[in-house]
Amino acid sequence: MPTYVDMTRCDGCGECVEICPSDIMHIDRTYRRAYNIEPNFCWECYSCVKACPQNAIDVRGYADFAPMGHKVRVRREKEKGSVSWRIKYRDGRVKEFTFPIRTTPWGSIKAPDSYAAPDMKALSSPLLSHEPTALNVAALPMLASAKK
Amino acid sequence: MFVSNPFALLAQSIPPFVMQIYVVLMILAVALGTLFDVYHKGSAEFFAQRRKKSQAAAQRQLAGWQVASLAARTIGKEVVTSGEFCKWQRQASHLLIMYGFLIYLITTLLMVFVYPRAARTPTAVTALWNIGGLMVLAGGLWFFFALKVNVAYEKHSPFRLIRADLFVGSLLASVAFGLLWHLVQTAHRPGAASLFLLACYLFFTTLLFVSVPWSKFSHMFYKPVAAFQKRLEEANGSSDLPAPAKTSNIKG
């Protein structure tokens, strides 16, 4: 189900433009509001839905299983780390679901460029960059041969 | 520069009533442009339909004082403090532009209509005209070069102009040329430079007010209506947003 923007709610902050992995959230040239330029290419990851501070991005259901008359609205609450969905079916039934989207405070995850660059010795280590500290554990289990 | 009235100086060569007629024409252009914009885009019809849908889906009826309270809160937050913006930089820039423009506009009207020939225009008026203009430039240039979403997030050049730039671009150019013209005028250098800056000032001012149907100028009328409608839907239970989550998932 690709996303679309309610332009009366959007304030053109650009959060969805920055986060969209498919690079299909762009800025309208007339009103400077966000819009999905190509719903066919939407990955349906809903990163934009979860990033929108104005709850301006909704989901458009495919016509085969969600025919005209339905509605899907989304509320993102970053202070609670949750996203709630309200599905209004064509026959008028309404269902609501709430899901956790993160357990750490918004903005607390460090961006990759804020870590120091690893040295060349790290190439021979089975650990990935900044493991195990980035995983908040003291150590990771490793094969005895890899420890040498 | 801060103590002289640019329009009183201009009145030495152009009769004040010509300036007054120009200002009235610009006010008419904004009024007509806004009416055309509302008719062409159907925004009045859109909000009327939304209001009807909201009333039909309302879970509780609001009393008159509750609606008035919502309107007052909309004015207090979304209008007076530009509280709709989620980022403080955009809010600050918008406030600088909005209040700068209001100060600049009111003092222009005062100088054109009340003190067109007065040798002693109150210093507060002339100073505020300059301060208002500088506030518009500070907020507008900050927005234009750093905060504009297509510049900040899409990494476009700020000079890659789009139609959405018509309002802020013509406003910045109008104010900048107005201040530059006044600077040259007060430096006692009448001549080609002063005339050229005055022509640019008039061109961009006319563009700002005449381009209302194609620019974002009318957002100052419909954005408060949209904000009020949003508050109304939340208050009467007709909002289609899901209910807020009951618990927090944030640990620590």
Side-chain angles (χ1 to χ4, degrees):
Chain A
M1 297 194 291
T3 58
Y4 74 98
V5 181
D6 179 345
M7 287 181 104
T8 59
R9 282 180 177 269
C10 176
D11 79 346
C13 69
E15 292 289 333
C16 57
V17 175
E18 187 176 50
I19 207 164
C20 178
S22 190
D23 195 24
I24 55 171
M25 296 305 290
H26 281 255
I27 293 301
D28 172 76
R29 296 168 67 85
T30 307
Y31 302 108
R32 203 177 271 119
R33 298 281 175 264
Y35 75 119
N36 185 335
I37 59 163
E38 185 48 83
N40 286 338
F41 290 165
C42 181
W43 299 5
E44 304 173 14
C45 65
Y46 305 132
S47 297
C48 57
V49 168
K50 294 171 199 166
C52 178
Q54 301 286 1
N55 302 311
I57 305 183
D58 290 354
V59 170
R60 195 191 301 275
Y62 290 119
D64 53 355
F65 72 92
M68 285 175 71
H70 78 290
K71 197 157 197 178
V72 183
R73 288 288 277 126
V74 190
R75 183 197 290 267
R76 191 271 311 239
E77 291 171 280
K78 71 176 185 182
E79 68 284 357
K80 294 179 185 169
S82 67
V83 62
S84 303
W85 301 78
R86 185 176 193 264
I87 323 287
K88 186 183 175 192
Y89 292 88
R90 200 180 178 189
D91 60 6
R93 281 179 301 148
V94 173
K95 288 188 181 178
E96 290 196 15
F97 310 92
T98 299
F99 298 98
I101 49 177
R102 61 186 296 158
T103 56
T104 52
W106 205 268
S108 64
I109 296 174
K110 283 163 67 179
D113 62 359
S114 60
Y115 289 93
D119 63 25
M120 293 301 285
K121 284 182 201 161
L123 283 175
S124 56
S125 165
L127 296 175
L128 296 176
S129 180
H130 306 293
E131 281 182 350
T133 48
L135 297 174
N136 295 322
V137 293
L140 284 170
M142 277 196 286
L143 293 172
S145 57
K147 287 182 184 170
K148 289 174 188 172
Chain B
M1 183 176 168
F2 282 80
V3 292
S4 61
N5 175 348
F7 304 103
L9 293 173
L10 184 64
Q12 291 166 4
S13 43
I14 297 174
F17 79 90
V18 175
M19 288 187 267
Q20 289 163 358
I21 287 172
Y22 173 79
V23 172
V24 171
L25 285 176
M26 291 303 105
I27 293 169
L28 281 176
V30 171
L32 291 175
T34 306
L35 286 175
F36 176 76
D37 189 62
V38 165
Y39 171 74
H40 176 67
K41 288 183 193 149
S43 42
E45 197 184 336
F46 170 79
F47 283 115
Q49 280 179 357
R50 199 154 164 175
R51 189 87 193 264
K52 269 187 194 167
K53 276 186 190 171
S54 160
Q55 279 171 344
Q59 293 173 1
R60 50 192 166 270
Q61 290 301 318
L62 299 177
W65 67 268
Q66 287 172 310
V67 177
S69 158
L70 289 174
R73 271 188 278 169
T74 306
I75 293 168
K77 191 179 176 208
E78 277 83 3
V79 179
V80 174
T81 64
S82 303
E84 184 200 41
F85 290 105
C86 51
K87 292 184 177 159
W88 72 265
Q89 295 96 330
R90 291 193 70 211
Q91 188 178 8
S93 154
H94 192 265
L95 287 171
L96 277 170
I97 297 175
M98 184 172 77
Y99 286 110
F101 182 61
L102 276 177
I103 294 167
Y104 180 79
L105 194 70
I106 292 165
T107 49
T108 300
L109 290 173
L110 280 174
M111 287 194 282
V112 170
F113 286 95
V114 184
Y115 308 106
R117 284 193 187 278
R120 287 192 179 181
T121 309
T123 312
V125 175
T126 55
L128 280 172
W129 185 78
N130 287 282
I131 290 167
L134 290 172
M135 281 168 71
V136 171
L137 285 184
L141 293 174
W142 185 15
F143 172 75
F144 197 84
F145 288 103
L147 303 177
K148 237 170 37 165
V149 65
N150 43 330
V151 172
Y153 291 108
E154 299 200 279
K155 303 300 174 195
H156 290 169
S157 160
F159 299 108
R160 186 171 151 183
L161 299 176
I162 55 176
R163 205 172 108 186
D165 293 319
L166 183 59
F167 172 61
V168 70
S170 54
L171 175 64
L172 281 175
S174 163
V175 172
F177 280 114
L179 292 179
L180 280 173
W181 162 64
H182 185 39
L183 184 70
V184 172
Q185 195 189 37
T186 48
H188 302 292
R189 284 178 198 157
S194 175
L195 206 62
F196 172 74
L197 291 170
L198 175 63
C200 290
Y201 172 51
L202 286 175
F203 172 76
F204 284 108
T205 306
T206 310
L207 181 67
L208 173 68
F209 294 117
V210 171
S211 66
V212 170
W214 302 277
S215 77
K216 277 188 63 184
F217 195 103
S218 52
H219 78 283
M220 61 183 74
F221 305 109
Y222 68 76
K223 284 303 277 181
V225 179
F228 172 69
Q229 182 63 29
K230 200 163 107 180
R231 280 182 182 272
L232 195 69
E233 286 171 8
E234 277 165 19
N236 70 11
S238 67
S239 170
D240 52 7
L241 277 175
K246 291 187 180 85
T247 53
S248 173
N249 300 296
I250 306 292
K251 312 277 187 267

